[in-house]
Amino acid sequence: MSVDGTPRPTGDDDLPDGFSVPDDLSSLEGLGEAAQPDAAPQEERPQVALVVTQVAGAEALAAACALSKVDADAIFTPVGAVAVLRDPAAGPAGAGALSTMLKGAPVVLLVRRAGRISATHWTHGVQGEELPPGLVLSDAPAVLEQLLLGTLTIDDAENPVTSVGMSRWKAMRLLAAAAKDIRRG
């Protein structure tokens, strides 16, 4: 029965057993934050994002990052240069931009999030299939795993090259020099 004595309708408006309405709205604070799509829980935000490429040098990859407007630090590894993104949340955008810039050369985006590692394949700016991270890392140099796990920082890595602050002119000169070195063999 309702307050005025009329019978209360049954059906979808019935409240579940144990439901109570608070006296004030203070217990409802923070509920709207979870509904915002941009507000990912802290444990779901990526801590590290690496883009593994087949580029032959850290300087050339840093130049490609600068031209693609990707803020990253690049290092050379035996499997190719790796870009450590300054903003791990920009991983998909960075991998897409670099795979577009590198015209047909595939890249792999490795992300550590909430203690888990994910790996995705990118070509021509398009995300491909998910790859098993263990398989990707099985033959990878140790530096890749160390960067992902946070046991090595980019500052402690050997000869990092940054794309941050690199002018378009310098980036073009570095890419031209890298291309010249490749042609010379």
Side-chain angles (χ1 to χ4, degrees):
M1 288 277 187
S2 67
V3 177
D4 64 357
T6 59
R8 207 172 79 184
T10 59
D12 292 337
D13 292 307
D14 288 341
L15 297 175
D17 293 334
F19 183 84
S20 66
V21 177
D23 292 335
D24 65 353
L25 298 178
S26 64
S27 64
L28 300 177
E29 284 183 26
L31 290 180
E33 294 170 10
Q36 295 175 1
D38 294 351
Q42 183 65 31
E43 61 273 358
E44 290 300 317
R45 291 190 183 122
Q47 285 89 34
V48 177
L50 308 177
V51 181
V52 183
T53 71
Q54 297 174 355
V55 175
E59 297 85 7
L61 181 57
C65 287
L67 291 173
S68 301
K69 296 184 170 96
V70 174
D71 290 344
D73 299 299
I75 61 165
F76 177 75
T77 72
V79 296
V82 175
V84 180
L85 302 183
R86 294 270 180 111
D87 178 10
L98 283 174
S99 67
T100 299
M101 171 67 72
L102 298 176
K103 302 231 189 273
V107 301
V108 175
L109 173 64
L110 291 166
V111 177
R112 179 172 55 92
R113 171 186 289 121
R116 294 183 333 251
I117 295 173
S118 65
T120 51
H121 181 262
W122 289 76
T123 308
H124 300 293
V126 178
Q127 181 177 345
E129 75 267 7
E130 292 269 334
L131 304 169
L135 188 59
V136 172
L137 294 172
S138 66
D139 289 332
V143 68
L144 223 55
E145 187 174 328
Q146 293 167 346
L147 286 167
L148 269 174
L149 298 177
T151 58
L152 177 71
T153 65
I154 193 65
D155 296 328
D156 297 328
E158 193 174 323
N159 301 320
V161 181
T162 187
S163 70
V164 177
M166 185 182 293
S167 70
R168 291 181 60 81
W169 176 250
K170 182 176 181 180
M172 292 300 288
R173 281 194 333 234
L174 285 172
L175 287 177
K180 191 181 216 181
D181 288 344
I182 290 171
R183 282 193 299 267
R184 273 191 252 170

